[in-house]
Amino acid sequence: RAPMSDQPAPAETLASMRAAIDAEDRALIELLARRRALVRELFEWKIRHGLPLIDPAREALLLADRAALAERHGLPASLVDRVLRAVLDASHTDAAENLARPPDLG
């Protein structure tokens, strides 16, 4: 007979690790949704004040800052750059849609 172990069975460990990753994925999606809502508020404000929706200089600074932050957290800057560029591209799509509809002046 094999000695009893306090270690969980490999299948339990795998399921637990996958559940933790799934929870982080859900949290990431919730963060992206909150960020998108903030960007939409910003776009509405910019439209009301006659400002351009996209600010390339700000985006360049944002990407450089986030690359440095990524490296401080042990993440490849290139990974964070790709993710944030995808987020910014989605914001640009939202900006085009915002420009296509009349502003909410309420």
Side-chain angles (χ1 to χ4, degrees):
R1 225 163 55 141
M4 294 196 54
S5 171
D6 290 335
Q7 297 289 325
E12 291 173 8
T13 301
L14 179 62
S16 175
M17 289 190 292
R18 285 181 174 165
I21 291 169
D22 291 346
E24 294 301 322
D25 288 345
R26 285 189 294 277
L28 181 58
I29 290 167
E30 290 169 7
L31 283 171
L32 288 169
R34 287 196 307 267
R35 186 189 192 283
R36 187 174 189 202
L38 289 169
V39 169
R40 286 182 171 176
E41 286 181 38
L42 175 65
F43 285 165
E44 289 175 10
W45 187 89
K46 285 182 167 186
I47 287 169
R48 284 194 305 273
H49 292 86
L51 296 172
L53 298 186
I54 305 301
D55 183 345
R58 159 86 173 130
E59 289 182 2
L61 289 172
L62 178 146
L63 290 169
D65 176 73
R66 300 325 184 260
L69 180 62
E71 289 179 347
R72 287 195 301 272
H73 283 277
L75 293 169
S78 61
L79 168 64
V80 171
D81 184 78
R82 286 192 311 272
V83 169
L84 289 178
R85 284 183 189 277
V87 170
L88 291 172
D89 287 347
S91 293
H92 295 173
T93 299
D94 285 349
E97 291 171 2
N98 267 291
L99 288 174
R101 66 177 173 82
D104 176 11
L105 300 176

XYZ file of all heavy atoms in Angstrom:
815
model
N 0.833 -1.188 0.000
C 0.000 0.000 0.000
C 0.876 1.249 0.000
O 1.843 1.334 0.742
C -0.841 -0.054 1.271
C -2.266 0.283 1.012
C -3.217 -0.135 2.117
N -2.915 0.335 3.446
C -3.828 0.734 4.318
N -5.079 0.681 4.033
N -3.502 1.148 5.489
N 0.470 2.248 -0.809
C 1.243 3.492 -0.881
C 0.956 4.333 0.350
O -0.148 4.306 0.882
C 0.860 4.258 -2.139
N 1.958 5.067 0.825
C 1.723 5.916 1.992
C 0.727 7.027 1.650
O 0.690 7.533 0.542
C 3.103 6.481 2.317
C 3.927 6.273 1.111
C 3.309 5.156 0.331
N -0.093 7.392 2.628
C -1.063 8.461 2.432
C -0.309 9.783 2.383
O 0.683 9.974 3.069
C -2.089 8.450 3.555
C -2.932 7.189 3.508
S -4.427 7.290 4.486
C -5.225 8.741 3.921
N -0.811 10.683 1.593
C -0.154 11.970 1.426
C -1.137 13.086 1.730
O -2.337 12.960 1.503
C 0.352 12.086 -0.013
O 0.796 13.393 -0.265
N -0.610 14.175 2.238
C -1.444 15.362 2.457
C -1.587 16.170 1.171
O -2.310 17.148 1.139
C -0.825 16.244 3.544
C -0.909 15.604 4.920
O -1.809 14.761 5.123
O -0.084 15.959 5.779
N -0.872 15.758 0.147
C -0.923 16.454 -1.131
C -2.220 16.130 -1.857
O -2.648 14.986 -1.876
C 0.268 16.039 -2.016
C 1.621 16.390 -1.462
C 1.871 17.883 -1.520
O 1.434 18.556 -2.445
N 2.573 18.396 -0.522
N -2.862 17.141 -2.485
C -4.047 16.832 -3.283
C -3.662 16.013 -4.501
O -2.524 16.034 -4.961
C -4.588 18.203 -3.684
C -3.486 19.170 -3.441
C -2.534 18.538 -2.469
N -4.632 15.282 -5.008
C -4.407 14.487 -6.214
C -4.082 15.430 -7.367
O -4.546 16.568 -7.396
C -5.656 13.671 -6.529
N -3.268 14.980 -8.330
C -2.902 15.846 -9.462
C -4.110 16.446 -10.178
O -4.075 17.615 -10.552
C -2.113 14.916 -10.377
C -1.541 13.889 -9.464
C -2.576 13.698 -8.388
N -5.184 15.681 -10.342
C -6.365 16.209 -11.024
C -6.981 17.352 -10.226
O -7.444 18.345 -10.792
C -7.385 15.100 -11.263
N -6.978 17.236 -8.900
C -7.516 18.300 -8.059
C -6.645 19.552 -8.152
O -7.150 20.673 -8.197
C -7.611 17.840 -6.609
C -8.671 16.778 -6.366
C -8.605 16.222 -4.951
O -7.841 16.761 -4.119
O -9.315 15.240 -4.697
N -5.352 19.355 -8.154
C -4.428 20.479 -8.269
C -4.613 21.170 -9.615
O -4.672 22.398 -9.676
C -2.970 19.994 -8.108
O -2.845 19.381 -6.827
C -1.988 21.141 -8.221
N -4.702 20.392 -10.687
C -4.901 20.950 -12.021
C -6.202 21.740 -12.073
O -6.237 22.875 -12.561
C -4.907 19.829 -13.067
C -5.142 20.257 -14.513
C -4.040 21.194 -14.990
C -5.235 19.024 -15.404
N -7.269 21.167 -11.551
C -8.567 21.847 -11.558
C -8.493 23.145 -10.755
O -9.040 24.172 -11.161
C -9.647 20.924 -11.005
N -7.807 23.115 -9.636
C -7.676 24.296 -8.787
C -6.883 25.395 -9.504
O -7.263 26.569 -9.469
C -6.999 23.905 -7.485
O -6.758 25.040 -6.698
N -5.786 25.016 -10.133
C -4.976 26.002 -10.856
C -5.760 26.587 -12.022
O -5.715 27.801 -12.265
C -3.666 25.374 -11.317
C -2.708 25.103 -10.172
S -1.037 24.616 -10.677
C -1.343 23.012 -11.407
N -6.489 25.734 -12.742
C -7.291 26.234 -13.865
C -8.389 27.166 -13.372
O -8.683 28.180 -14.003
C -7.881 25.075 -14.650
C -6.852 24.384 -15.516
C -7.457 23.261 -16.313
N -6.482 22.703 -17.243
C -6.632 21.550 -17.859
N -7.727 20.812 -17.643
N -5.721 21.120 -18.694
N -8.999 26.850 -12.250
C -10.043 27.715 -11.687
C -9.461 29.086 -11.320
O -10.113 30.118 -11.533
C -10.689 27.057 -10.474
N -8.261 29.098 -10.782
C -7.613 30.367 -10.428
C -7.335 31.194 -11.687
O -7.543 32.415 -11.705
C -6.327 30.110 -9.653
N -6.871 30.538 -12.742
C -6.619 31.241 -14.010
C -7.929 31.759 -14.586
O -8.006 32.907 -15.059
C -5.881 30.320 -15.003
C -4.451 30.075 -14.509
C -5.886 30.926 -16.409
C -3.706 28.991 -15.259
N -8.980 30.953 -14.542
C -10.295 31.383 -15.033
C -10.776 32.623 -14.281
O -11.322 33.555 -14.880
C -11.325 30.263 -14.894
C -11.066 29.092 -15.832
O -10.266 29.235 -16.779
O -11.673 28.024 -15.596
N -10.553 32.652 -12.971
C -10.961 33.808 -12.170
C -10.183 35.059 -12.591
O -10.751 36.151 -12.679
C -10.760 33.525 -10.681
N -8.902 34.902 -12.863
C -8.094 36.039 -13.318
C -8.546 36.518 -14.695
O -8.575 37.728 -14.955
C -6.605 35.682 -13.327
C -6.036 35.416 -11.944
C -6.170 36.592 -10.996
O -6.019 37.762 -11.424
O -6.435 36.349 -9.808
N -8.900 35.584 -15.571
C -9.418 35.968 -16.894
C -10.701 36.777 -16.748
O -10.889 37.795 -17.430
C -9.672 34.740 -17.765
C -8.395 34.079 -18.253
O -7.310 34.697 -18.163
O -8.490 32.922 -18.728
N -11.593 36.334 -15.868
C -12.841 37.069 -15.639
C -12.540 38.470 -15.088
O -13.150 39.457 -15.497
C -13.777 36.303 -14.701
C -14.458 35.123 -15.392
C -15.537 34.497 -14.522
N -15.002 33.861 -13.316
C -14.500 32.634 -13.277
N -14.465 31.889 -14.361
N -14.043 32.143 -12.141
N -11.595 38.567 -14.169
C -11.225 39.863 -13.604
C -10.642 40.776 -14.689
O -10.924 41.975 -14.718
C -10.224 39.676 -12.458
N -9.830 40.208 -15.579
C -9.251 40.986 -16.669
C -10.349 41.526 -17.588
O -10.322 42.695 -17.986
C -8.263 40.118 -17.459
C -7.534 40.765 -18.614
C -6.727 41.978 -18.159
C -6.613 39.743 -19.276
N -11.336 40.708 -17.888
C -12.449 41.139 -18.740
C -13.237 42.247 -18.050
O -13.630 43.241 -18.687
C -13.327 39.937 -19.126
C -12.543 39.050 -20.108
C -14.665 40.381 -19.731
C -13.150 37.691 -20.333
N -13.465 42.102 -16.744
C -14.169 43.150 -16.002
C -13.377 44.460 -16.016
O -13.946 45.540 -16.171
C -14.440 42.696 -14.571
C -15.485 41.599 -14.491
C -15.587 40.954 -13.113
O -14.938 41.439 -12.159
O -16.324 39.959 -13.003
N -12.053 44.378 -15.881
C -11.209 45.573 -15.952
C -11.294 46.226 -17.325
O -11.396 47.453 -17.437
C -9.750 45.216 -15.650
C -9.391 44.985 -14.200
C -7.979 44.421 -14.089
C -9.507 46.271 -13.415
N -11.266 45.414 -18.376
C -11.371 45.959 -19.727
C -12.719 46.638 -19.944
O -12.795 47.698 -20.581
C -11.153 44.855 -20.769
C -9.714 44.355 -20.895
C -9.672 43.095 -21.761
C -8.813 45.441 -21.467
N -13.777 46.059 -19.407
C -15.111 46.665 -19.542
C -15.163 48.005 -18.802
O -15.716 48.984 -19.320
C -16.179 45.709 -19.024
N -14.587 48.071 -17.602
C -14.565 49.334 -16.854
C -13.720 50.378 -17.577
O -14.094 51.549 -17.644
C -14.055 49.105 -15.432
C -15.065 48.387 -14.553
C -14.761 48.494 -13.071
N -13.429 48.086 -12.681
C -13.102 46.858 -12.271
N -14.007 45.915 -12.211
N -11.867 46.587 -11.906
N -12.596 49.947 -18.142
C -11.739 50.882 -18.879
C -12.488 51.425 -20.087
O -12.451 52.621 -20.375
C -10.449 50.187 -19.322
C -9.449 51.141 -19.955
C -8.266 50.413 -20.575
N -7.187 51.301 -20.919
C -7.183 52.092 -21.991
N -8.219 52.111 -22.816
N -6.142 52.877 -22.232
N -13.184 50.541 -20.795
C -13.928 50.969 -21.983
C -15.012 51.973 -21.606
O -15.235 52.956 -22.316
C -14.536 49.753 -22.680
C -15.180 50.091 -23.996
C -15.642 48.855 -24.703
N -16.058 49.184 -26.055
C -16.872 48.449 -26.758
N -17.329 47.310 -26.270
N -17.220 48.809 -27.966
N -15.687 51.746 -20.491
C -16.713 52.687 -20.039
C -16.093 54.055 -19.733
O -16.668 55.097 -20.081
C -17.436 52.133 -18.817
N -14.926 54.065 -19.103
C -14.240 55.323 -18.821
C -13.838 56.041 -20.105
O -13.968 57.266 -20.212
C -12.997 55.069 -17.957
C -13.259 54.679 -16.514
C -11.964 54.196 -15.855
C -13.866 55.833 -15.742
N -13.355 55.290 -21.076
C -12.961 55.883 -22.359
C -14.181 56.486 -23.046
O -14.122 57.586 -23.600
C -12.251 54.849 -23.257
C -12.087 55.369 -24.677
C -10.890 54.473 -22.665
N -15.311 55.797 -22.990
C -16.531 56.343 -23.601
C -16.954 57.641 -22.918
O -17.373 58.589 -23.574
C -17.645 55.306 -23.561
C -17.419 54.219 -24.580
C -18.525 53.211 -24.580
N -18.367 52.319 -25.725
C -19.123 51.287 -25.965
N -20.118 50.994 -25.139
N -18.918 50.533 -27.015
N -16.848 57.696 -21.585
C -17.137 58.947 -20.871
C -16.194 60.051 -21.326
O -16.604 61.197 -21.529
C -16.998 58.749 -19.365
C -18.108 57.985 -18.713
C -17.904 57.857 -17.211
O -17.420 58.817 -16.568
O -18.215 56.775 -16.683
N -14.915 59.707 -21.457
C -13.923 60.674 -21.917
C -14.262 61.167 -23.313
O -14.205 62.369 -23.588
C -12.523 60.048 -21.904
C -11.399 60.901 -22.483
C -11.191 62.151 -21.637
C -10.132 60.090 -22.593
N -14.653 60.272 -24.206
C -15.010 60.674 -25.569
C -16.202 61.622 -25.560
O -16.219 62.616 -26.286
C -15.318 59.454 -26.433
C -14.117 58.666 -26.876
C -14.283 57.392 -27.398
C -12.834 59.166 -26.787
C -13.196 56.649 -27.815
C -11.732 58.436 -27.195
C -11.921 57.175 -27.719
N -17.210 61.320 -24.755
C -18.376 62.204 -24.683
C -17.969 63.595 -24.192
O -18.429 64.610 -24.708
C -19.453 61.588 -23.791
C -20.124 60.390 -24.431
C -21.111 59.689 -23.515
O -21.431 60.238 -22.430
O -21.565 58.598 -23.895
N -17.084 63.630 -23.198
C -16.594 64.904 -22.687
C -15.825 65.658 -23.769
O -16.015 66.859 -23.956
C -15.711 64.652 -21.456
C -15.288 65.909 -20.761
C -15.951 66.558 -19.761
C -14.102 66.663 -21.021
N -15.246 67.675 -19.388
C -14.116 67.765 -20.143
C -13.041 66.527 -21.915
C -13.101 68.724 -20.124
C -12.032 67.475 -21.899
C -12.062 68.545 -21.014
N -14.952 64.950 -24.470
C -14.167 65.590 -25.530
C -15.061 66.108 -26.646
O -14.818 67.200 -27.176
C -13.129 64.605 -26.093
C -11.936 64.390 -25.179
C -10.949 63.434 -25.838
C -9.613 63.411 -25.146
N -8.628 62.589 -25.877
N -16.092 65.361 -26.996
C -17.017 65.816 -28.041
C -17.702 67.101 -27.586
O -17.791 68.078 -28.347
C -18.045 64.709 -28.379
C -17.360 63.593 -29.162
C -19.216 65.283 -29.173
C -18.214 62.336 -29.322
N -18.183 67.137 -26.346
C -18.861 68.333 -25.828
C -17.939 69.548 -25.809
O -18.395 70.683 -25.946
C -19.406 68.075 -24.424
C -20.659 67.242 -24.400
C -21.364 67.295 -23.056
N -20.537 66.938 -21.925
C -20.356 65.684 -21.476
N -20.952 64.674 -22.068
N -19.582 65.458 -20.431
N -16.638 69.313 -25.633
C -15.684 70.410 -25.540
C -14.899 70.636 -26.836
O -13.942 71.410 -26.851
C -14.733 70.177 -24.359
C -15.434 70.286 -23.051
N -16.089 69.223 -22.465
C -15.628 71.341 -22.224
C -16.637 69.614 -21.331
N -16.378 70.889 -21.156
N -15.299 69.961 -27.891
C -14.682 70.190 -29.194
C -13.240 69.734 -29.306
O -12.473 70.296 -30.091
N -12.875 68.719 -28.551
C -11.500 68.218 -28.586
C -11.407 66.965 -29.450
O -12.378 66.210 -29.554
C -11.024 67.897 -27.163
C -10.941 69.085 -26.213
C -10.660 68.610 -24.800
C -9.876 70.057 -26.677
N -10.248 66.727 -30.038
C -10.075 65.485 -30.811
C -10.173 64.270 -29.879
O -9.699 64.313 -28.743
C -8.690 65.605 -31.428
C -8.003 66.703 -30.709
C -9.047 67.551 -30.031
N -10.788 63.215 -30.376
C -10.970 62.024 -29.548
C -9.680 61.244 -29.362
O -9.459 60.654 -28.311
C -12.044 61.117 -30.153
C -13.444 61.726 -30.246
C -14.447 60.672 -30.715
C -13.883 62.330 -28.935
N -8.841 61.234 -30.364
C -7.587 60.468 -30.314
C -6.426 61.432 -30.114
O -6.336 62.454 -30.797
C -7.391 59.647 -31.610
C -8.603 58.750 -31.887
C -6.094 58.842 -31.546
C -8.925 57.760 -30.803
N -5.544 61.094 -29.197
C -4.375 61.913 -28.886
C -3.131 61.040 -29.039
O -2.705 60.371 -28.090
C -4.501 62.450 -27.461
C -3.378 63.383 -27.057
O -2.334 63.422 -27.744
O -3.538 64.068 -26.027
N -2.535 61.036 -30.248
C -1.382 60.154 -30.489
C -0.210 60.382 -29.531
O 0.447 59.423 -29.126
C -0.985 60.472 -31.935
C -2.231 61.014 -32.558
C -2.939 61.759 -31.455
N 0.038 61.625 -29.146
C 1.145 61.895 -28.220
C 0.863 61.251 -26.861
O 1.753 60.640 -26.255
C 1.359 63.398 -28.077
N -0.364 61.369 -26.392
C -0.747 60.741 -25.117
C -0.616 59.229 -25.208
O -0.134 58.574 -24.287
C -2.184 61.151 -24.771
C -2.894 60.247 -23.810
C -2.626 60.584 -22.365
N -3.506 59.743 -21.538
C -3.093 59.033 -20.520
N -1.838 59.065 -20.149
N -3.928 58.296 -19.833
N -1.042 58.655 -26.332
C -0.948 57.206 -26.491
C 0.497 56.741 -26.487
O 0.818 55.712 -25.894
C -1.669 56.765 -27.764
C -3.176 56.879 -27.644
C -3.924 56.409 -28.866
O -3.283 55.946 -29.843
O -5.167 56.500 -28.850
N 1.385 57.504 -27.127
C 2.807 57.138 -27.140
C 3.375 57.156 -25.720
O 4.113 56.242 -25.330
C 3.582 58.075 -28.059
N 3.024 58.180 -24.950
C 3.486 58.251 -23.561
C 2.912 57.102 -22.745
O 3.615 56.495 -21.927
C 3.084 59.584 -22.931
C 3.830 60.816 -23.424
C 3.197 62.090 -22.867
C 5.302 60.734 -23.060
N 1.636 56.803 -22.944
C 0.981 55.707 -22.231
C 1.702 54.389 -22.512
O 2.002 53.632 -21.586
C -0.490 55.623 -22.664
C -1.326 54.515 -22.079
C -2.760 55.000 -21.882
C -1.336 53.284 -22.948
N 1.980 54.114 -23.786
C 2.639 52.851 -24.137
C 4.031 52.749 -23.528
O 4.421 51.695 -23.028
C 2.689 52.686 -25.660
C 1.340 52.433 -26.328
C 1.464 52.548 -27.844
C 0.774 51.075 -25.937
N 4.776 53.854 -23.545
C 6.126 53.837 -22.967
C 6.056 53.621 -21.450
O 6.826 52.817 -20.900
C 6.842 55.142 -23.290
N 5.135 54.311 -20.799
C 4.980 54.167 -19.349
C 4.578 52.744 -18.981
O 5.124 52.153 -18.049
C 3.936 55.153 -18.836
C 3.680 54.977 -17.356
O 4.554 55.368 -16.557
O 2.609 54.436 -16.997
N 3.624 52.187 -19.719
C 3.138 50.844 -19.400
C 4.186 49.777 -19.704
O 4.253 48.758 -19.017
C 1.848 50.524 -20.135
C 0.637 51.417 -19.868
C 0.515 51.931 -18.451
N -0.712 52.694 -18.275
C -0.793 54.027 -18.273
N 0.285 54.771 -18.447
N -1.957 54.627 -18.098
N 5.046 50.020 -20.693
C 6.143 49.082 -20.973
C 7.108 49.042 -19.794
O 7.543 47.967 -19.363
C 6.868 49.484 -22.253
N 7.421 50.206 -19.253
C 8.313 50.261 -18.081
C 7.653 49.583 -16.883
O 8.313 48.838 -16.147
C 8.658 51.718 -17.760
N 6.356 49.823 -16.684
C 5.631 49.190 -15.583
C 5.619 47.673 -15.750
O 5.815 46.929 -14.788
C 4.198 49.736 -15.519
C 3.312 49.178 -14.424
C 3.876 49.502 -13.049
C 1.893 49.744 -14.581
N 5.413 47.218 -16.973
C 5.416 45.779 -17.250
C 6.743 45.153 -16.835
O 6.764 44.114 -16.166
C 5.155 45.525 -18.736
N 7.828 45.794 -17.222
C 9.148 45.257 -16.899
C 9.376 45.223 -15.391
O 9.965 44.275 -14.875
C 10.226 46.056 -17.627
C 10.209 45.773 -19.123
C 11.239 46.560 -19.907
O 11.831 47.520 -19.353
O 11.436 46.216 -21.078
N 8.875 46.228 -14.683
C 9.016 46.228 -13.216
C 8.245 45.068 -12.592
O 8.587 44.607 -11.509
C 8.558 47.559 -12.627
C 9.534 48.695 -12.893
C 9.277 49.913 -12.018
N 7.961 50.498 -12.168
C 7.637 51.431 -13.068
N 8.548 51.871 -13.931
N 6.416 51.928 -13.103
N 7.215 44.608 -13.283
C 6.420 43.477 -12.790
C 6.871 42.143 -13.381
O 6.202 41.128 -13.193
C 4.935 43.710 -13.088
C 4.303 44.693 -12.155
N 3.831 44.344 -10.918
C 4.093 46.021 -12.272
C 3.347 45.413 -10.315
N 3.499 46.440 -11.112
N 7.991 42.155 -14.094
C 8.519 40.912 -14.637
C 7.798 40.422 -15.884
O 7.895 39.244 -16.234
N 7.079 41.317 -16.551
C 6.385 40.951 -17.790
C 7.158 41.468 -18.987
O 7.764 42.546 -18.917
C 4.986 41.582 -17.819
C 3.987 41.064 -16.807
C 2.763 41.965 -16.778
C 3.595 39.644 -17.154
N 7.109 40.752 -20.092
C 7.752 41.280 -21.302
C 7.035 42.550 -21.764
O 5.801 42.559 -21.908
C 7.592 40.164 -22.334
C 7.190 38.946 -21.566
C 6.547 39.422 -20.297
N 7.791 43.604 -21.976
C 7.207 44.859 -22.448
C 6.482 44.647 -23.772
O 5.444 45.260 -24.021
C 8.288 45.920 -22.593
N 7.005 43.746 -24.605
C 6.379 43.503 -25.906
C 4.978 42.915 -25.765
O 4.077 43.224 -26.547
C 7.252 42.590 -26.764
O 7.422 41.334 -26.116
N 4.780 42.081 -24.745
C 3.449 41.507 -24.504
C 2.467 42.605 -24.118
O 1.373 42.715 -24.676
C 3.513 40.450 -23.397
C 2.165 39.975 -22.851
C 1.356 39.275 -23.935
C 2.360 39.085 -21.642
N 2.858 43.440 -23.168
C 1.982 44.511 -22.708
C 1.731 45.503 -23.845
O 0.613 45.989 -24.012
C 2.576 45.186 -21.458
C 1.809 46.434 -21.071
C 2.600 44.185 -20.306
N 2.735 45.764 -24.656
C 2.564 46.655 -25.800
C 1.500 46.104 -26.756
O 0.618 46.843 -27.194
C 3.902 46.850 -26.526
C 3.790 47.846 -27.652
O 3.774 49.068 -27.365
O 3.708 47.420 -28.822
N 1.577 44.814 -27.059
C 0.592 44.213 -27.980
C -0.815 44.274 -27.398
O -1.775 44.600 -28.094
C 0.968 42.765 -28.310
C 2.146 42.641 -29.262
C 2.329 41.218 -29.802
N 2.307 40.175 -28.799
C 3.366 39.741 -28.127
N 4.556 40.268 -28.340
N 3.252 38.753 -27.250
N -0.933 43.972 -26.117
C -2.251 43.994 -25.472
C -2.815 45.411 -25.483
O -3.974 45.630 -25.871
C -2.166 43.439 -24.036
C -3.449 43.709 -23.265
C -1.846 41.949 -24.052
N -2.005 46.382 -25.071
C -2.498 47.750 -25.008
C -2.774 48.330 -26.389
O -3.717 49.115 -26.547
C -1.539 48.639 -24.220
C -1.525 48.353 -22.726
C -0.514 49.241 -22.012
C -2.906 48.542 -22.120
N -1.984 47.952 -27.378
C -2.291 48.420 -28.738
C -3.643 47.872 -29.202
O -4.403 48.577 -29.877
C -1.183 48.047 -29.711
C 0.033 48.940 -29.567
C 1.120 48.637 -30.589
N 2.326 49.363 -30.280
C 2.562 50.619 -30.628
N 1.663 51.304 -31.292
N 3.702 51.207 -30.297
N -3.960 46.633 -28.836
C -5.275 46.077 -29.179
C -6.381 46.847 -28.456
O -7.434 47.141 -29.049
C -5.337 44.590 -28.822
N -6.150 47.196 -27.201
C -7.130 47.981 -26.438
C -7.297 49.358 -27.079
O -8.420 49.849 -27.254
C -6.700 48.092 -24.962
C -7.560 49.093 -24.202
C -6.755 46.721 -24.291
N -6.187 49.995 -27.437
C -6.260 51.308 -28.077
C -6.949 51.227 -29.439
O -7.731 52.115 -29.798
C -4.861 51.922 -28.214
C -4.198 52.330 -26.900
C -2.754 52.738 -27.141
C -4.973 53.436 -26.211
N -6.669 50.184 -30.201
C -7.345 50.006 -31.495
C -8.852 49.913 -31.309
O -9.624 50.488 -32.077
C -6.832 48.761 -32.226
C -5.436 48.944 -32.801
O -4.952 50.098 -32.864
O -4.829 47.926 -33.182
N -9.293 49.207 -30.273
C -10.723 49.112 -29.982
C -11.264 50.490 -29.596
O -12.390 50.844 -29.993
C -10.972 48.098 -28.869
N -10.485 51.271 -28.861
C -10.905 52.631 -28.515
C -11.030 53.494 -29.768
O -11.935 54.319 -29.870
C -9.905 53.276 -27.544
O -9.924 52.620 -26.305
N -10.128 53.306 -30.722
C -10.205 54.074 -31.970
C -11.481 53.730 -32.728
O -12.123 54.616 -33.306
C -8.985 53.798 -32.846
C -7.708 54.268 -32.232
N -6.479 53.995 -32.795
C -7.438 54.976 -31.101
C -5.524 54.522 -32.044
N -6.087 55.126 -31.018
N -11.858 52.458 -32.711
C -13.119 52.044 -33.330
C -14.286 52.712 -32.628
O -15.209 53.223 -33.272
C -13.260 50.506 -33.295
O -12.174 49.940 -34.025
C -14.577 50.059 -33.898
N -14.255 52.717 -31.293
C -15.301 53.400 -30.524
C -15.337 54.888 -30.859
O -16.410 55.484 -30.950
C -15.085 53.221 -29.020
C -15.453 51.837 -28.524
O -16.073 51.066 -29.284
O -15.115 51.525 -27.359
N -14.164 55.495 -31.030
C -14.104 56.922 -31.357
C -14.793 57.181 -32.697
O -15.570 58.127 -32.829
C -12.651 57.396 -31.409
N -14.520 56.342 -33.673
C -15.146 56.513 -34.991
C -16.665 56.371 -34.865
O -17.412 57.130 -35.497
C -14.586 55.482 -35.965
N -17.115 55.438 -34.056
C -18.562 55.271 -33.849
C -19.142 56.476 -33.120
O -20.243 56.913 -33.439
C -18.834 53.977 -33.065
C -18.537 52.729 -33.877
C -18.590 51.455 -33.047
O -18.892 51.507 -31.834
O -18.325 50.391 -33.635
N -18.403 57.042 -32.169
C -18.881 58.227 -31.462
C -18.998 59.424 -32.400
O -19.925 60.218 -32.264
C -17.927 58.590 -30.305
C -18.336 57.967 -29.000
O -19.334 58.339 -28.431
N -17.561 57.004 -28.540
N -18.063 59.544 -33.318
C -18.117 60.658 -34.253
C -19.253 60.514 -35.258
O -19.727 61.493 -35.813
C -16.772 60.787 -34.990
C -15.627 61.313 -34.146
C -14.320 61.252 -34.922
C -15.887 62.739 -33.662
N -19.680 59.271 -35.472
C -20.736 59.009 -36.446
C -22.122 59.311 -35.899
O -23.077 59.376 -36.646
C -20.657 57.562 -36.928
N -22.238 59.494 -34.575
C -23.562 59.776 -33.989
C -23.543 61.147 -33.325
O -22.494 61.624 -32.899
C -23.956 58.686 -33.005
C -23.111 58.583 -31.768
C -23.651 57.507 -30.819
N -22.764 57.282 -29.718
C -22.710 58.030 -28.616
N -23.497 59.061 -28.498
N -21.873 57.741 -27.645
N -24.718 61.769 -33.224
C -24.737 63.080 -32.580
C -24.402 62.976 -31.095
O -24.704 61.970 -30.459
C -26.178 63.565 -32.772
C -26.936 62.412 -33.313
C -25.975 61.331 -33.711
N -23.746 63.999 -30.532
C -23.378 63.939 -29.111
C -24.617 64.015 -28.220
O -25.618 64.626 -28.570
C -22.480 65.157 -28.916
C -22.851 66.089 -30.014
C -23.313 65.235 -31.169
N -24.486 63.412 -27.052
C -25.522 63.512 -26.016
C -25.216 64.781 -25.219
O -24.249 64.827 -24.472
C -25.466 62.269 -25.121
C -26.448 62.346 -23.962
O -27.299 63.250 -23.972
O -26.353 61.497 -23.055
N -26.001 65.808 -25.425
C -25.723 67.083 -24.789
C -26.368 67.224 -23.419
O -26.301 68.275 -22.811
C -26.184 68.221 -25.719
C -25.515 68.250 -27.088
C -26.118 69.334 -27.949
C -24.016 68.442 -26.965
N -26.951 66.130 -22.945
C -27.637 66.171 -21.658
C -26.784 66.195 -20.470
O -25.720 66.403 -20.226
